[in-house]
Amino acid sequence: PVDLAAMLAGRYPEISAYYVPRLVDVAIPNARRLLGAFRAARLPVVFTRHGPLLPDGSDMIARRRRRDGASQESTGTPTLWHRGTFEHEVIAELAPAPGDLVVDKNTSSAFNSTGIEWILRNKGIDTLVLAGMATDMCVETTARDAADRGFKVTADGLPVCPALVASRDDRPDDAVAPDPGPEDSSGDAENSDHSEASLRAAAQSMQ
């Protein structure tokens, strides 16, 4: 996150002043809690990484290629980094563990450019718990696509990084938003505790 913080501070100082502390103090610790809860319950974890699969970005849609070209011209860096670069990797604080699945996608929705649906169905997974840094873009798009395909979906609303998946059938709706708790749904510690407890309860119900 240090490199990301430096980039944001240089290019978008006002955004950086809010985003970086939330990233370091809230998002990453909450992501680690969620990962810990899923791994303790022996539930599968899937990470998605977003960016071009090819170094020249030619596998991306035209609009994205134009955006990256404009970013390169104005700042010297792309908006997305391709597979194989440092910036494309999962950060060390949230590194995948042995047995976790890592899926590379070049679209906002993980369902539009990967075989993730086939993998999830092969593993017997019918319910997804999604979380990520851009809740209003990649997380939401993936959640809606998953619901349209018949998966039960909880979009956690916490600004965290991995996509976490659980197989359970105790939710009646195709897409369910969690209770944001007493504060808001922006990732406060109280909400993280609530989410972790809910996930542990769900995990126990499956055992």
Side-chain angles (χ1 to χ4, degrees):
V2 174
D3 291 338
L4 174 61
M7 182 273 288
L8 285 173
R11 291 170 59 179
Y12 311 106
E14 292 183 0
I15 295 176
S16 175
Y18 170 82
Y19 184 81
V20 172
R22 298 289 293 179
L23 174 69
V24 174
D25 299 332
V26 177
I28 293 174
N30 282 350
R32 294 183 70 173
R33 281 177 161 178
L34 288 173
L35 285 170
F38 268 69
R39 289 171 177 157
R42 299 185 179 276
L43 296 174
V45 175
V46 178
F47 288 84
T48 61
R49 303 185 299 191
H50 188 193
L53 305 180
L54 299 174
D56 64 0
S58 60
D59 58 298
M60 303 291 286
I61 60 174
R63 182 179 66 253
R64 173 63 77 175
R65 294 199 304 271
R66 290 194 298 270
R67 185 188 305 174
D68 273 8
S71 177
Q72 288 274 21
E73 290 180 5
S74 63
T75 68
T77 59
T79 55
L80 289 175
W81 286 267
H82 64 81
R83 183 167 58 185
T85 59
F86 170 79
E87 293 83 359
H88 189 263
E89 296 296 323
V90 178
I91 62 173
E93 293 90 335
L94 302 174
D100 291 347
L101 181 64
V102 179
V103 177
D104 290 335
K105 63 189 182 76
N106 67 359
T107 55
S108 295
S109 170
F111 287 92
N112 288 335
S113 58
T114 77
I116 194 168
E117 179 179 3
W118 173 63
I119 294 170
L120 295 174
R121 297 198 188 282
N122 281 354
K123 292 177 68 65
I125 293 168
D126 65 3
T127 301
L128 311 180
V129 178
L130 305 181
M133 291 306 302
T135 305
D136 63 339
M137 189 59 186
C138 290
V139 176
E140 180 182 359
T141 307
T142 298
R144 292 182 183 278
D145 280 353
D148 280 348
R149 288 166 169 79
F151 291 96
K152 305 181 193 70
V153 182
T154 292
D156 200 308
L158 299 176
V160 295
C161 298
L164 309 172
V165 299
S167 177
R168 73 184 209 266
D169 57 6
D170 61 336
R171 290 187 177 272
D173 301 322
D174 287 338
V176 183
D179 182 358
E183 298 295 333
D184 57 33
S185 60
S186 58
D188 295 293
E190 292 85 355
N191 295 331
S192 177
D193 292 339
H194 173 77
S195 296
E196 183 176 358
S198 298
L199 294 177
R200 288 188 183 278
Q204 291 175 358
S205 72
M206 290 185 288
Q207 296 174 349

